[in-house]
Amino acid sequence: VIERLAIIGVGLLGGSVAKAVRAGGLAREVIGIGRDRARLQPAVREGVLDRATTDFREGLAGADLVLLAAPVLQNEALLERVWPLAADGAIVTDVGSTKTGIVRLADRLRSGRALAFVGSHPMAGSERSGYAFARHDLFENACVIVTPTEAVDPRASKIVTGLWEALGARVAVLDPEVHDRVVAAISHLPHLVADALVDAVVRFEPGATAFAASGFRDTTRIAASDPAMWQEIFVANREALLASVGAFRMALDALEARVRADDRAALEADLARIKRAREAVA
Amino acid sequence: VIERLAIIGVGLLGGSVAKAVRAGGLAREVIGIGRDRARLQPAVREGVLDRATTDFREGLAGADLVLLAAPVLQNEALLERVWPLAADGAIVTDVGSTKTGIVRLADRLRSGRALAFVGSHPMAGSERSGYAFARHDLFENACVIVTPTEAVDPRASKIVTGLWEALGARVAVLDPEVHDRVVAAISHLPHLVADALVDAVVRFEPGATAFAASGFRDTTRIAASDPAMWQEIFVANREALLASVGAFRMALDALEARVRADDRAALEADLARIKRAREAVA
């Protein structure tokens, strides 16, 4: 059981952790820290947070677990701010979509003070953001990737892993750089592609959106995601994302060449291979 | 009321029309025509078809409405075969995803014999195919685009429009070439992009699919569509599709340039514009 959990950023993910921890009785006390006290009040009123504060020193005092749940680049700035203020022995984790940057930063900070940082990335969420959409069951059956390094005390990894498992998630352990390549392909690339698809249609054939059916709607649902959150993800994972975009462009070029060449047998073979690959995805 | 409806190709769409027509009592008789008598038997056993045949002459005799429901290029070949065999005064329509080719073909055939062809494109379906997935309510609240030309008797257009409306669809009328540009953008491009996305991920980062969440799954659902059907659509609508791919590539290049340049403010403005555009899609 956690004595005192401090959550910085009580939005969709931070708020869902708070609700799930409360629902599961996993922490004696849950503190919300944010820039705007008024925006933290709904969670206090609902009893999801015991207290809310804009003061980091006050919010972090006595917290044995600290969760950074702001957009990904902001989490890096928050980590630098939290490091000197956190209680001795505190474990810090996050919910950001990229891991190499924050893990390297923690390694640097650790040379000044021996705190444990274990990166976490819950593969859950939606195109909606904010505490209003937070759900106590958001992490049930979700996958959470944790990215401990050799420098991290295994007991800290175990506590962070245990928290996610207690929230109903399956936990996978990856190296931070492998994590960033994997999510570039499976998450960040699809987002950028969905964004480009919407932009192309509304600019090139604006009247077409009146005829959108479930294919277009599903393919582009994530293009309605939070712009502030996603520009940070794209930029934070730039190198891996650009490599994924390159792979995507090669795949698109190859399919386009089949269409252009009217090579129906080869095109059908490509589509059959792709259908099998898609059906193999759980 | 239709006296005798002949449906060529009793798969997802043809079977759904048959079920809906039966459920609504819209035709006195529904005949299924296909290449394989055994595959037509389930619909006969269920009472959805009154009769099934592999003989076009027999199946078309006395039919006042003929529906072509094979893959799109096959529908063109079927139209040439049906034209001389159809009853005097019969109206022919189809369910294909492209319209310019088949409408032009009907215009040529009409110079030999005065029959009415009205192109139809129900924007309904799913990544699954075959009669087993046919549903009597597939067209309820769906959009059906019909593409009559000036050469078509307005009474024939009215009968085809009336059929789709009786099946619960909203009907829109478009010029065949406008139709093909619109569906290239809103349907065929998203399919090709979803295909390329799956192909890129499984080739470039195969381990990543283990971490697929709802974003990837929704974005690529249509990549599991029927390969035989979709190679025909891509090829039949080649020019419009290639133009849409060009527009998509420009949109992707522009977003990629923002990421590469680390231009976070401009990137966030792009994503905000795209989010608004996506939210404006019904």
Side-chain angles (χ1 to χ4, degrees):
Chain A
V1 170
I2 303 158
E3 285 299 320
R4 186 174 289 174
L5 169 64
I7 299 177
I8 308 181
V10 188
L12 174 68
L13 290 173
S16 292
V17 170
K19 285 188 173 183
V21 162
R22 180 100 310 163
L26 302 171
R28 293 198 212 286
E29 206 178 3
V30 182
I31 318 293
I33 305 177
R35 280 179 301 197
D36 183 347
R37 184 182 289 268
R39 294 176 65 177
L40 294 164
Q41 286 315 306
V44 176
R45 272 200 305 274
E46 293 174 12
V48 170
L49 298 176
D50 296 293
R51 289 188 283 126
T53 178
T54 58
D55 183 314
F56 274 55
R57 189 176 297 274
E58 179 194 329
L60 292 168
D64 47 344
L65 188 62
V66 180
L67 180 77
L68 311 178
V72 62
L73 292 174
Q74 292 175 50
N75 282 342
E76 296 188 22
L78 287 170
L79 187 67
E80 291 200 86
R81 207 167 152 193
V82 161
W83 206 270
L85 296 176
D88 286 335
I91 297 168
V92 184
T93 186
D94 74 327
V95 296
S97 296
T98 69
K99 293 269 92 59
T100 306
I102 198 164
V103 165
R104 279 194 194 139
L105 174 61
D107 285 343
R108 281 204 305 282
L109 293 168
R110 201 175 291 115
S111 69
R113 187 186 179 204
L115 274 189
F117 174 80
V118 180
S120 302
H121 176 197
M123 309 277 286
S126 86
E127 71 280 16
R128 293 168 299 195
S129 56
Y131 177 76
F133 296 105
R135 286 169 23 207
H136 72 89
D137 61 354
L138 187 69
F139 306 105
E140 273 175 28
N141 299 311
C143 174
V144 176
I145 303 176
V146 298
T147 61
T149 59
E150 287 179 11
V152 173
D153 182 345
R155 284 173 302 181
S157 298
K158 213 167 161 184
I159 286 170
V160 170
T161 297
L163 170 67
W164 293 116
E165 287 175 345
L167 302 190
R170 291 169 292 113
V171 173
V173 176
L174 286 183
D175 169 83
E177 289 181 22
V178 172
H179 166 276
D180 284 4
R181 287 211 319 269
V182 161
V183 297
I186 205 72
S187 169
H188 308 169
L189 174 66
H191 264 88
L192 197 72
V193 162
D195 287 331
L197 199 46
V198 169
D199 213 23
V201 171
V202 298
R203 282 160 173 248
F204 179 68
E205 202 69 67
T209 56
F211 300 97
S214 61
F216 182 80
R217 281 198 296 267
D218 286 358
T219 310
T220 60
R221 180 179 56 77
I222 54 179
S225 299
D226 182 38
M229 177 179 156
W230 278 90
Q231 61 91 349
E232 294 208 9
I233 292 173
F234 289 155
V235 166
N237 205 19
R238 178 169 46 190
E239 297 313 317
L241 175 60
L242 293 176
S244 276
V245 171
F248 170 77
R249 209 179 257 115
M250 283 177 59
L252 182 65
D253 289 352
L255 288 171
E256 186 191 24
R258 301 289 200 206
V259 173
R260 198 180 289 278
D262 205 357
D263 192 347
R264 293 177 49 191
L267 179 57
E268 186 168 332
D270 288 341
L271 298 184
R273 182 189 73 238
I274 289 165
K275 176 183 171 69
R276 284 192 301 274
R278 177 60 184 83
E279 287 174 343
V281 175
Chain B
V1 170
I2 303 156
E3 285 300 319
R4 187 174 289 173
L5 169 64
I7 300 177
I8 308 181
V10 187
L12 175 68
L13 290 173
S16 293
V17 170
K19 285 188 173 183
V21 163
R22 181 99 308 164
L26 302 171
R28 292 198 212 285
E29 207 177 2
V30 182
I31 318 294
I33 305 177
R35 281 179 300 197
D36 183 346
R37 185 183 289 269
R39 293 176 65 178
L40 294 164
Q41 287 315 305
V44 176
R45 271 200 306 274
E46 293 175 10
V48 170
L49 298 177
D50 295 294
R51 289 188 281 126
T53 178
T54 59
D55 183 315
F56 275 56
R57 189 175 298 274
E58 178 195 329
L60 293 168
D64 49 342
L65 188 62
V66 180
L67 180 76
L68 311 178
V72 63
L73 292 174
Q74 292 175 49
N75 283 342
E76 297 188 22
L78 287 170
L79 187 67
E80 291 201 86
R81 207 169 152 191
V82 161
W83 206 269
L85 296 175
D88 285 337
I91 297 167
V92 185
T93 186
D94 75 326
V95 296
S97 296
T98 70
K99 293 269 91 59
T100 306
I102 198 162
V103 164
R104 279 193 195 142
L105 174 60
D107 284 344
R108 281 205 305 281
L109 293 168
R110 201 176 290 115
S111 68
R113 187 187 180 203
L115 275 189
F117 174 80
V118 180
S120 301
H121 177 198
M123 309 276 287
S126 85
E127 71 279 17
R128 293 168 300 196
S129 55
Y131 178 76
F133 296 105
R135 285 168 26 204
H136 72 87
D137 61 353
L138 187 68
F139 307 105
E140 274 174 26
N141 299 312
C143 175
V144 176
I145 303 176
V146 298
T147 62
T149 60
E150 287 178 12
V152 173
D153 182 345
R155 284 173 302 180
S157 297
K158 212 166 161 185
I159 286 170
V160 170
T161 298
L163 170 67
W164 293 117
E165 287 175 346
L167 302 190
R170 291 169 292 112
V171 173
V173 177
L174 286 183
D175 168 82
E177 290 182 21
V178 172
H179 166 275
D180 284 4
R181 288 211 318 270
V182 161
V183 298
I186 206 72
S187 170
H188 307 169
L189 173 66
H191 265 88
L192 197 73
V193 162
D195 287 331
L197 199 46
V198 169
D199 213 23
V201 171
V202 298
R203 282 160 173 250
F204 179 68
E205 202 68 68
T209 56
F211 300 99
S214 62
F216 182 79
R217 280 198 296 269
D218 286 357
T219 310
T220 61
R221 179 179 59 77
I222 54 180
S225 299
D226 182 39
M229 179 180 156
W230 278 90
Q231 60 93 347
E232 295 208 9
I233 292 172
F234 290 156
V235 166
N237 205 19
R238 178 169 45 190
E239 297 313 317
L241 176 58
L242 293 177
S244 275
V245 171
F248 170 76
R249 208 178 259 114
M250 281 176 60
L252 183 64
D253 289 352
L255 288 171
E256 188 190 24
R258 301 289 200 207
V259 174
R260 199 179 289 279
D262 206 357
D263 192 345
R264 292 177 51 190
L267 179 58
E268 186 167 333
D270 288 340
L271 299 183
R273 182 188 74 238
I274 289 166
K275 176 182 171 69
R276 284 193 301 273
R278 176 59 185 83
E279 288 174 341
V281 175

